[in-house]
Amino acid sequence: MRTFLPPPPTSSPDYSPHLASLAARILYPNPLPSTASNLPLYILSATALPSARNTSYDSLLPYILARLPSNDDLLAGLQYEIIFFAHPNEDKKRLPGWQWLVHTYGQLSRVLRKRLKRLWVVGAERWIRVLVEGVMTVVGTVKGRRKVGFMRGVEGLEAVGVRVEQICVPVAVWIAEQRKRRKRVDDDPVEGRSSRRAFGVRKPLPWRAGEGTVRLPRVLRETSSFLLMDECVKTEGLFRVNAKAVMVEALREMYERGQQFVIWKEKDKALCFPCWKEGMGNVSVEELEDKEGFDVHAAAGLIKMWYGDLREPLFPQTCYQALEKFYGGPEVHLEPEQLVGMLKEDAEWTILTPTARKILRMHLLPFLSRIIDFGEWNRMTASSLAVCFAPALLKGPDIEEDLRVIAIVRKLLEAMISNWQKDLAPVFQSDHGPFEDQLRLPEAIADREDPLEEGDEGYSSREAQMSGIMLVDNDDSDPEDAQHEVDDTHLDEPPPLPIRSAASSRSEDGLPPLPPRPRTSSVPEDAGPPLPPRSRSFTVADVPATSPTSSPTPSPTNSSDNNKVKRKPAPTVQPLPRYSMVVGSSSHQTATLEHIPFYNTVEQPVEESENLEADPGLPRYDSLCRTTIPRKPVPKLGQKGEE
């Protein structure tokens, strides 16, 4: 049986705490067993490998292998699984060569290789897959190769029954996964999750289990507790310095998935929330602080992202007009009584919604007032905090309108933060004590994680009105008005056509019928006989001969003729004559077609006729028209052969 050389004991002068700390970040046991087989699960992270230039991997190998199960446990029948996160490092020269990998596999004992149930390789590049398969083929066996499985990403573990939520995934792995998703445009940014859990939910303040009160969500509870630690709250530029966007997005995905172990670390202080330590089996979190975690700027950016992603912002667009009217003037001075009336739960009139008032009283104002208490170290004042948080509290459809109102929101938020501890907190009984109770780990296990929101239905009425026009009455109408509701079963049918004639309706009402509406211009009857129909050839003979002094004879009137509609007859369409009809007539004969004169000769002027007589060689026009062109007769079909 081959055995590897163990590291020196901790009391030995050859023991290296630095190598032991590196080994703890490279290979460590997962706090919870594998959900697929209920076996001990070990995490192997390639992102934690040190640089090969500064560290000897031969000296580091005993410290890494010492973290695997002991031979005594393995001989007793203990089996285990390993998840190898092979995501590439930013510095590719950190990874050791393939010779070291072959040497490492040779150092494993037979029982250690035999008791390995599964080896999942997640996020490996193609050359790493080829290298691992080559080593298993050359050094290992066929049975050992069957134990190795390759996954494209973290989501692939769900397909084999391993719940990612119960795995302590390294921070660098989440960042690498997020960068990989950015390259894939057609990928869902939160692939693998069915719905929202923490950001942009319908109920930002979840209910307590078995109680009728609300509580803070998990993301606000953990990030606020980490930022209010003595080593973190004194960080200069706490909310002014932005974290890496990819790190904040990775944090968001972890909370949306419901990741059970989120590690926070700043300098030498680390914090992890063992939310499932009770009632979920043996959870070991002693060595989690040795791993790299998220810093204070990532936590501050996540808090601002939570407020910016609220489905209904704290200052919605419906209150912009009231903000400009009552608080927009430069001479407006905000008194504590005005702020109390704005934040009261039973206020008669306020620009804030009930949910916005609860969030301000429970978290935002107590939290920011604690931050300015350490302004001597972090250089954050009420004015600077208002500048940092005001853009996250507005989310209107018009950016220009938001920029116009943001100055008023900054003034309101600055006044609330400055007057919270002295004037506002005693009124609402929300000083440091109740706020710290909100940040403690809930006693009920069901309250330690936020509920998963299924689907996207159930938007608030305000958001539905912002997204479209609502033609249905609200449900909170008066029951007494139910009898006056309109029957909407025939809303899709077209309305009835109007009555075409008004005579019948007036006769029913006892009114005389209206005179007929004239279709043409009215002409008095004594204006003479109607004009003859217009023709295309108008002659003087068609006009009746009347003297200027003679009066027109009146036409007999008839009552029945008054009701008739006089219409003007349409002119007849005269077809144009053919050219053969014109030239085929005599030289001086007129071809008349429906009173339209056409002449087949053209009277030439005197000078032109003299020119024609002077040149007798030119033929006359009329002789050309009468000349016939001889044509050859068409042969018969029977005579074709004879010809």
Side-chain angles (χ1 to χ4, degrees), residues 1-6 61-62 65 70-72 74-75 103-113:
M1 180 183 299
R2 291 177 296 179
T3 58
F4 59 88
L5 186 64
L61 181 59
L65 297 180
S70 61
N71 290 334
D72 297 338
L74 295 175
L75 292 175
H103 176 66
T104 302
Y105 188 81
Q107 291 292 325
L108 299 178
S109 61
R110 181 177 180 274
V111 65
L112 197 62
R113 289 179 292 173

Side-chain angles (χ1 to χ4, degrees), residues 456-533:
D456 293 331
E457 56 197 30
Y459 287 88
S460 60
S461 59
R462 187 185 302 274
E463 183 175 357
Q465 294 174 7
M466 292 291 292
S467 60
I469 301 176
M470 300 293 293
L471 299 180
V472 183
D473 294 337
N474 296 329
D475 295 337
D476 53 354
S477 57
D478 192 359
E480 297 179 0
D481 299 337
Q483 56 183 355
H484 301 290
E485 294 182 357
V486 180
D487 186 12
D488 56 351
T489 57
H490 304 286
L491 291 179
D492 297 336
E493 298 180 1
L497 296 175
I499 302 175
R500 298 180 61 91
S501 176
S504 60
S505 60
R506 295 180 62 89
S507 60
E508 294 177 359
D509 299 338
L511 300 176
L514 295 174
R517 186 176 181 179
R519 298 295 182 92
T520 60
S521 60
S522 59
V523 180
E525 296 182 358
D526 55 353
L531 295 176

Side-chain angles (χ1 to χ4, degrees), residues 195-201 204 217 219 252 255-256 306 449-451:
S195 182
R196 289 184 285 263
R197 186 190 298 268
F199 293 83
V201 294
V219 56
R252 172 177 178 165
Y255 278 101
E256 293 282 30
W306 187 87
E449 182 57 88
D450 299 332

